[in-house]
Amino acid sequence: MSVSTSGPTSGPAREVLLDPYDYAFHEDPYPFYKRLRDEAPLYHNEELGFWALSRHADVLKGFRNSTNLSNKYGVSLDPASRGPHASKTMSFLAMDDPEHLRLRTLVSKGFTPRRVRELEPRVTEIALQHLDTMLAKARDNETVDYVDEFAGKLPMDVISELMGVPEPDRAQLRAWADAVMHREEGVTDVPPAAVEASINLIVYYQGMLAERRKKPTDDLTTALLEAEIDGDKLTDDEILGFMFLMVIAGNETTTKLLANAMYWGYRNPDQIAPLYTDLDRVPQWVEETLRYDTSSQILARTVVGDLVLYDTKIPEGDVVLLLPGSAHRDERVFDEPDRYLVGREIGSKLMSFGSGAHFCLGAHLARMEARVALTELLKRIRGYQVDEANAVRVHSSNVRGFAHLPITVEVA
């Protein structure tokens, strides 16, 4: 592994290693991040072909510098996901202005805050449906998989509800979405199974679009078909790209948020105990989880023009990774950053949904889902235990969370 580093110090910095595909890194990236922040705030991995920014101030500037750090080749390090085709599956997340602004504005005509607000009662119903099933299995002190039974089902079902996917088809779409994200150890690109799952999702949504053209309904798919500004409308490819983005970015990250909240709540019972009798504080639990162990850990950008960082000129076309997972543990910004403290002041320092022009359009949906899901769960249990020995982490180059989280619960 050929690694070089740039920054204000040298010496031990030569030993710093960041490999987003390494399973040891997936288990606990935070010691790696601390060394990067302290020893190599501008890090260069020659073998994998990227630079990385780890300090809060640098990551924030990176998110907001859409002049020199471009999205147009995608936001993943995986080679197959990068390139001018990235927008086909990542929509406006893989575009720069003015194309980004045009598409985002049109999508916003259909994907409105009002539509999300009106969805909350239905989100509650879906959450209760899955909770009832999970807790019925858990009543006899049986171990249940929180991801399989709840956290992995709710977000995808909510997105399917938004789009108008029939309930019988939702399990299949969840399976395809999971396959798109999964990586076996040592795989540093998009595997064939993920490509196949991606094609299956696109073909399914193409069929939905064709149906909605014939018979419009009151769902997001129809709203996107009808969205128009001064005669400008979304093409089918643009709608499909956004739908795919919702499935991958919206589904995966929210599933990981829900499981991460449960895991760290278990590890920090003193922080969660007061919430059982003060459910209004559940949003604080959500926010601290987003800070402490964010789902979206690593986002890629491509250098455009002249970019100088830490007295180093970064060549045009090189990849720069922004590390919000590291930024949220930066002691230069947060007091006791490695302490899980529900209720701490976070505010605008949070970058789980990015910052600047590409701030996540679905942030309000993710927060609402997490608030509803965790509130309804706490109403129905008196406590829970996580079987840490059998918990299984997701292996992804940019998303952090659990594939399986076995728990036992004390049903209220």
Side-chain angles (χ1 to χ4, degrees):
M1 174 71 69
S2 173
V3 176
S4 64
T5 61
S6 303
T9 62
S10 57
R14 296 292 168 191
E15 302 169 11
V16 179
L17 174 64
L18 174 65
D19 180 355
Y21 298 101
D22 179 25
Y23 273 30
F25 173 74
H26 298 162
E27 288 300 322
D28 186 5
Y30 297 104
F32 295 87
Y33 289 154
K34 179 161 178 54
R35 289 200 63 193
L36 288 179
R37 291 193 304 271
D38 291 346
E39 302 171 25
L42 175 63
Y43 170 85
H44 189 204
N45 187 313
E46 291 179 0
E47 185 172 323
L48 291 176
F50 68 81
W51 304 77
L53 294 170
S54 51
R55 290 182 179 174
H56 191 281
D58 295 332
V59 176
L60 184 60
K61 285 178 188 171
F63 275 128
R64 294 181 175 179
N65 182 2
S66 51
T67 302
N68 298 115
L69 291 173
S70 169
N71 283 52
K72 67 182 176 182
Y73 294 105
V75 298
S76 170
L77 184 62
D78 297 350
S81 297
R82 298 192 55 72
H85 63 281
S87 63
K88 290 190 181 298
T89 52
M90 295 306 282
S91 188
F92 50 72
L93 187 56
M95 293 180 183
D96 296 329
D97 288 339
E99 293 82 7
H100 159 261
L101 182 60
R102 171 197 165 264
L103 186 52
R104 186 183 175 108
T105 304
L106 275 166
V107 165
S108 297
K109 296 279 285 184
F111 187 53
T112 60
R114 178 182 174 183
R115 186 176 289 276
V116 170
R117 281 195 307 272
E118 291 175 348
L119 189 65
E120 183 167 335
R122 183 65 184 128
V123 172
T124 305
E125 285 180 24
I126 296 170
L128 291 178
Q129 175 188 331
H130 293 311
L131 271 177
D132 287 346
T133 302
M134 182 180 80
L135 295 178
K137 292 181 180 179
R139 282 189 184 278
D140 298 323
N141 217 28
E142 183 183 333
T143 299
V144 292
D145 189 333
Y146 175 77
V147 175
D148 278 354
E149 298 290 345
F150 188 56
K153 289 184 174 179
L154 177 66
M156 189 64 198
D157 282 359
V158 169
I159 288 166
S160 291
E161 184 78 21
L162 257 177
M163 292 180 178
V165 174
E167 288 195 39
D169 296 349
R170 293 179 186 179
Q172 178 62 72
L173 265 67
R174 279 199 303 271
W176 285 333
D178 289 343
V180 170
M181 296 300 292
H182 181 72
R183 299 291 180 273
E184 297 293 341
E185 188 164 17
V187 174
T188 59
D189 205 346
V190 179
V195 174
E196 182 181 353
S198 300
I199 292 169
N200 285 334
L201 280 169
I202 293 292
V203 170
Y204 182 88
Y205 288 134
Q206 283 175 330
M208 272 186 62
L209 283 180
E211 287 177 15
R212 294 305 185 276
R213 284 197 189 283
K214 295 178 197 168
K215 188 177 179 182
T217 55
D218 184 24
D219 56 30
L220 179 58
T221 303
T222 300
L224 293 172
L225 282 167
E226 294 175 349
E228 182 178 338
I229 299 175
D230 298 330
D232 187 17
K233 300 188 75 168
L234 294 163
T235 66
D236 280 12
D237 281 350
E238 288 169 342
I239 295 173
L240 289 168
F242 176 69
M243 293 169 87
F244 196 86
L245 174 65
M246 287 281 288
V247 167
I248 303 310
N251 169 48
E252 263 318 291
T253 52
T254 308
T255 289
K256 304 305 174 272
L257 166 59
L258 290 172
N260 288 344
M262 284 293 278
Y263 178 77
W264 293 113
Y266 167 71
R267 293 286 301 270
N268 297 271
D270 62 311
Q271 296 298 308
I272 301 306
L275 275 58
Y276 285 92
T277 53
D278 188 1
L279 294 171
D280 289 341
R281 291 191 59 204
V282 167
Q284 296 178 348
W285 184 15
V286 173
E287 293 303 298
E288 177 63 349
T289 303
L290 286 166
R291 181 202 70 84
Y292 188 81
D293 199 17
T294 186
S295 308
S296 185
Q297 293 268 322
I298 297 175
L299 289 154
R301 297 290 190 267
T302 304
V303 176
V304 175
D306 294 327
L307 180 65
V308 177
L309 299 167
Y310 290 95
D311 299 322
T312 303
K313 187 177 188 305
I314 314 298
E316 186 159 19
D318 275 19
V319 175
V320 174
L321 300 185
L322 304 177
L323 310 179
S326 172
H328 292 156
R329 297 289 191 100
D330 192 343
E331 60 280 354
R332 297 158 190 81
V333 174
F334 296 100
D335 294 332
E336 298 184 277
D338 293 326
R339 184 181 172 203
Y340 190 70
L341 184 62
V342 173
R344 77 159 70 230
E345 179 58 42
I346 302 173
S348 61
K349 293 179 284 190
L350 190 75
M351 288 184 279
S352 296
F353 300 107
S355 186
H358 284 87
F359 182 80
C360 177
L361 195 62
H364 51 305
L365 176 61
R367 282 180 162 125
M368 182 267 281
E369 281 182 67
R371 170 177 54 79
V372 167
L374 295 172
T375 298
E376 295 302 330
L377 177 66
L378 290 189
K379 285 180 184 177
R380 284 161 179 77
I381 66 173
R382 289 196 293 268
Y384 66 97
Q385 304 282 319
V386 172
D387 178 4
E388 292 190 66
N390 290 301
V392 179
R393 286 203 168 274
V394 162
H395 295 293
S396 162
S397 61
N398 62 317
V399 173
R400 176 167 162 79
F402 292 94
H404 300 287
L405 192 67
I407 64 170
T408 54
V409 303
E410 189 180 351
V411 180

